Amino acid sequence: RLGPASFQLAGLIRSAEPSTSFPACARPVLEELARTSEETVMLGILAGEVPDMFYADVIESAAPIRFTLAIGDHRPLYCAASGKAALAFMPLQTQADYLARTEFAAFTPTTSRKSDMPALLQAIARTGIAFDDGGKVAGASGIASPVFGRHGEVLGAVSVAGPSDRIAAQRRRLEPLVKAAGEQISRLCGFGEAYPPPR
């Protein structure tokens, strides 16, 4: 049964028409990232009063063993690479408020703990790349980079995900691909500053 979040996501997608607007403008970049990475590619959008990462577009890998996620699915920010990538570039007060009021559930043994987040977010802010190892689904890892709007606001993130052993083995190759995709989508959204922007 569809819940309120499904209708909220549908509204976000409808409001993004035509294809020159976010998130529709990202599709060619996602297709290229899917081709070069050979992993599942996702575009997440921040939504909700206490924001979650809602997945507006997904291109699944053709590999027999792959990460799968439905369009419209969502994750708490702290347990996914895309959520961490976005959270790292939110205004510092917004970031602090999120950490203060969010209860961190341990979905897996490797879900990030609240006490680890400040240092982790600082590291992501320096590089523009977030990595998550099994934060929500054991055995699945992701790499993400943020997407920014015209005024420098973080809109969401682009990410690749797959089996943890495969992502770990390809991490050095995948990270620059994901970061380049984040920058390309940001440019399409009108972002004109250095990528990622300094904190």
Side-chain angles (χ1 to χ4, degrees):
R1 189 176 60 156
L2 294 176
S6 300
F7 295 104
Q8 181 182 34
L9 178 64
L12 285 169
I13 294 172
R14 280 197 304 271
S15 69
E17 297 298 336
S19 62
T20 54
S21 300
F22 183 76
C25 68
R27 183 68 186 192
V29 180
L30 302 180
E31 290 173 348
E32 177 62 14
L33 180 58
R35 185 188 69 79
T36 56
S37 70
E38 300 181 320
E39 297 293 352
T40 295
V41 171
M42 299 164 288
L43 180 69
I45 298 174
L46 288 168
E49 184 178 342
V50 178
D52 274 358
M53 188 60 65
F54 284 78
Y55 293 95
D57 204 350
V58 178
I59 302 175
E60 283 195 13
S61 169
I65 299 174
R66 60 186 179 270
F67 182 77
T68 63
L69 183 77
I71 292 175
D73 201 353
H74 62 96
R75 297 278 191 273
L77 302 183
Y78 63 85
C79 67
S82 54
K84 292 174 181 177
L87 186 59
F89 289 93
M90 288 181 180
L92 293 178
Q93 187 58 56
T94 304
Q95 189 183 100
D97 290 345
Y98 176 87
L99 294 178
R101 67 188 180 188
T102 301
E103 182 178 346
F104 279 45
F107 295 107
T108 75
T110 57
T111 302
S112 294
R113 295 174 298 181
K114 185 178 293 195
S115 59
D116 296 331
M117 290 299 285
L120 181 60
L121 295 177
Q122 287 178 15
I124 295 168
R126 285 194 297 270
T127 64
I129 300 168
F131 174 74
D132 183 83
D133 179 16
K136 184 67 165 64
V137 179
S141 295
I143 299 168
S145 286
V147 172
F148 300 97
R150 181 181 306 275
H151 304 293
E153 72 282 15
V154 61
L155 302 175
V158 59
S159 60
V160 298
S164 292
D165 56 351
R166 200 163 70 212
I167 294 296
Q170 296 291 319
R171 185 173 173 181
R172 294 180 69 180
R173 181 181 74 87
L174 293 173
E175 285 184 344
L177 297 177
V178 174
K179 186 174 181 179
E183 180 171 5
Q184 290 169 23
I185 298 170
S186 297
R187 300 300 180 209
L188 291 172
C189 293
F191 179 69
E193 305 301 322
Y195 182 93
R199 293 296 288 175

